[in-house]
Amino acid sequence: MTKWDVVVIGAAQAGCAAAWDLAAAGQRVLVLSRPAEQGKPCAGGVTAKALNRYRFSIAPVVREVVSTLWVGRFPSDSQALQAASPFCVMTERAELDAFCRQQAQEQGAHFAETRGIQSLHQNGSSITLTTREGDCFQASALIAADGAHSPVRKLLGERRYAGAVAIEGCVPRDQLSRYPGMTLDFAAIKGGYGWLFPKGDHVNVGLYVWRQGIASPGREQLDRYSRQQLGASPLGVQGYPLGTWLPHARLCQGRILFAGDAAGSTEALLGEGIYGAVLSGQLAAQAILAGQLASYPQWLAGWREEMATVEQLARLFYPLMPLSTRILQRNMGRPWWTGLPGGLPWGNASAAGAARQSSGDKALPCCSR
Ligand SMILES: Cc1cc2nc3c(=O)[nH]c(=O)nc-3n(C[C@H](O)[C@H](O)[C@H](O)COP(=O)(O)OP(=O)(O)OC[C@H]3O[C@@H](n4cnc5c(N)ncnc54)[C@H](O)[C@@H]3O)c2cc1C
C-alpha cells in the first residue's frame, strides 16, 4: 500500500485543476484515471471566464479565437453577437486535458492509470482504496473528479441524477459545402440547441438538450442536422451526459469531495462545464489545504446559487421557444447576455464565497453533506 496526502480520481478538467493547486502547495498527490483512448466527448469551447480561472495559459492548445457568435433559429432567423474582445477560444478536448495534466505534473502531481476503483473505505483519519488491478492506496482525502457517470458516487451508494445530454462530431473543413460561423441554433432540437464550432482544420457540430427525457439527441438526428447545416456527415460521433445537478447534489461524504461533473457543476442553460469543473476542482483543493473538508459545500455555495438561477432560466427559456429566442436576440449585447461567457452579472459569488469561507469557518474533521 502506498500513502499519499490526497488521491484524485479523474485526470480531466476538474481533476487536473485540483491536482495543480494541491501539488503547488506541496501536497503528495496521486491522480488515478482511466486510460484516455479517445478524447472526452466535448466541443472544447473555453469561455473568457474559464480562461481566467486557469493557473496557467492554455495558449499552446488554442485552435481558434472567437469574437462573433450567430444566435437564433436557423436558417431564417439569426443574429450576430459581436464582442469587443474575444469571448471564447476553441480547443480539442484531448489536447486540452493532456496539456492540463502536463501542467499539474510539472507542479509535482503523480498520474497513474486504472480500469476503475474496486473498493473505498474511510475512517476518521484516512481513506483506503483498491483499484481493479489490485493496487492499494491510502490518503487523508479523496477528490472524485470522475465525470457525470462518477463511478465513485455509485460505489458510495450516492443518489444518481439525470442532467443534460449532448452529442458531437467533426466535419473536416475540406468536406464543408457551407459554414455560417460559430453558431447556436435553437431550432435544431426540442429543449436545446444545435452548435457549429470552428476548430481550425474542422468544424465541431453537436446537439444539446438541457434535461434528459425532453429529447434524445441521437446519431441519426446529428447526421441530419450536420448535412443540413454543413452539407456533410460528421465523423467520430460521441454522446455523453453532462452533470448539471449541483443545486441538488450532495457534494461530499466524509473525506471524499466531489468536483466537476461528478458534483454536477455544469450550467444547465447551454451546458458550459469546463468553467465549473476548474472552479470546483480548485475549491475542493483549497478546502483540503485549509483543513476544512466539511466546509467545501459552503465554499461552492456561490456557484451553487448561480447554477440554481441558471436552472430556473433554462426551465423557462426552452418551453417558451420561439419567443425566448426573440427576447435573447433583442437583448444581445446587454450585460446579462454578453456576461454569460465572461461571468454572469450575479456571478463571482463563488469566488467571494470561497474567500469568505477560507477566512471564517471553523475546521471540522470531515463532511456529511
Ligand atoms: C458533447 C459535449 C460537448 C460539450 N461541450 C462543452 C464546451 O464546448 N464547453 C464547455 O465548457 N463544456 C462542454 N461540455 C461539458 C464538459 O465537457 C464537462 O462539463 C467537463 O468535461 C467536466 O469535466 P470533469 O473533469 O468534471 O469530467 P470529465 O471531463 O468527464 O472527466 C472525467 C475523468 O474521470 C475519469 N474516470 C471516469 N471513470 C473513471 C474510473 N472508473 N476510474 C478512474 N477514472 C475515471 C475519466 O477518464 C476522466 O479523466 C460538453 C459536454 C458534452 C457531453
Side-chain angles (χ1 to χ4, degrees), residues 225-239:
Y225 183 65
S226 180
R227 279 187 285 112
Q228 225 172 48
Q229 298 299 329
L230 304 172
S233 292
L235 307 171
V237 173
Q238 302 184 84

Side-chain angles (χ1 to χ4, degrees), residues 10-14 34 40-45 93 146 151 260-261 266 272-274:
Q13 290 300 292
R34 279 198 180 137
K40 196 239 160 202
C42 183
R93 254 312 280 274
D146 50 352
D261 270 11
T266 291
E272 183 199 351
I274 292 174

Side-chain angles (χ1 to χ4, degrees), residues 9-16 32-36 40-47 50 90 93 97 101 114-117 132 145-152 165-168 195 197 204 207 238-243 259-262 265-266 270-275 277 280:
I9 313 291
Q13 290 300 292
C16 289
L32 288 172
S33 77
R34 279 198 180 137
K40 196 239 160 202
C42 183
V46 182
T47 56
M90 289 295 154
R93 254 312 280 274
D97 285 353
R101 229 168 284 158
T114 174
R115 280 181 292 112
I117 309 303
R132 285 200 195 151
D146 50 352
H149 287 306
S150 186
V152 170
V165 62
I167 187 167
E168 53 100 11
W195 75 78
F197 284 2
N204 184 270
L207 295 170
Q238 302 184 84
Y240 210 74
L242 292 87
D261 270 11
S265 64
T266 291
L270 300 177
E272 183 199 351
I274 292 174
Y275 174 79
S280 58

Side-chain angles (χ1 to χ4, degrees), residues 197-261:
F197 284 2
K199 300 277 197 88
D201 61 356
H202 67 269
V203 170
N204 184 270
V205 53
L207 295 170
Y208 172 83
V209 173
W210 88 274
R211 213 172 48 189
Q212 281 174 40
I214 295 176
S216 24
R219 284 169 183 273
E220 277 176 27
Q221 217 169 347
L222 182 65
D223 190 75
R224 209 177 314 124
Y225 183 65
S226 180
R227 279 187 285 112
Q228 225 172 48
Q229 298 299 329
L230 304 172
S233 292
L235 307 171
V237 173
Q238 302 184 84
Y240 210 74
L242 292 87
T244 50
W245 43 81
L246 190 68
H248 318 284
R250 193 147 92 144
L251 299 180
C252 47
Q253 195 192 104
R255 305 194 149 267
I256 299 168
L257 312 186
F258 296 98
D261 270 11

Side-chain angles (χ1 to χ4, degrees), residues 2-87:
T2 54
K3 292 191 178 181
W4 299 85
D5 293 324
V6 184
V7 170
V8 178
I9 313 291
Q13 290 300 292
C16 289
W20 197 100
D21 275 19
L22 290 162
Q27 296 277 296
R28 276 176 43 79
V29 189
L30 174 67
V31 185
L32 288 172
S33 77
R34 279 198 180 137
E37 290 132 13
Q38 208 179 356
K40 196 239 160 202
C42 183
V46 182
T47 56
K49 72 173 184 289
L51 274 179
N52 288 335
R53 276 231 73 91
Y54 288 108
R55 306 293 190 209
F56 42 83
S57 162
I58 62 159
V61 289
V62 170
R63 291 205 163 202
E64 292 213 20
V65 179
V66 182
S67 51
T68 303
L69 170 66
W70 288 91
V71 181
R73 296 172 64 79
F74 282 68
S76 54
D77 179 19
S78 63
Q79 267 185 35
L81 168 67
Q82 262 158 338
S85 54
F87 56 80

Side-chain angles (χ1 to χ4, degrees), residues 69-75 77-79 81 183-197 206-210 225 229 267-271 313-314 317-329 332 336-337 340:
L69 170 66
W70 288 91
V71 181
R73 296 172 64 79
F74 282 68
D77 179 19
S78 63
Q79 267 185 35
L81 168 67
T183 298
L184 299 185
D185 174 4
F186 294 99
I189 190 164
K190 189 178 170 200
Y193 66 91
W195 75 78
L196 308 172
F197 284 2
L207 295 170
Y208 172 83
V209 173
W210 88 274
Y225 183 65
Q229 298 299 329
E267 60 85 3
L269 185 70
L270 300 177
L313 201 60
F317 184 82
Y318 287 108
L320 284 177
M321 288 291 170
L323 178 68
S324 35
T325 318
R326 298 228 175 83
I327 296 173
L328 185 67
Q329 287 173 329
M332 266 161 52
W336 69 269
W337 169 238
L340 198 65

Side-chain angles (χ1 to χ4, degrees), residues 117-156:
I117 309 303
Q118 186 72 41
S119 67
L120 265 176
H121 299 287
Q122 52 178 327
N123 58 31
S125 60
S126 69
I127 297 172
T128 307
L129 68 99
T130 310
T131 63
R132 285 200 195 151
E133 292 79 12
D135 297 322
C136 194
F137 304 99
Q138 195 178 64
S140 55
L142 182 141
I143 297 177
D146 50 352
H149 287 306
S150 186
V152 170
R153 192 174 273 282
K154 205 188 290 175
L155 204 59
L156 293 173

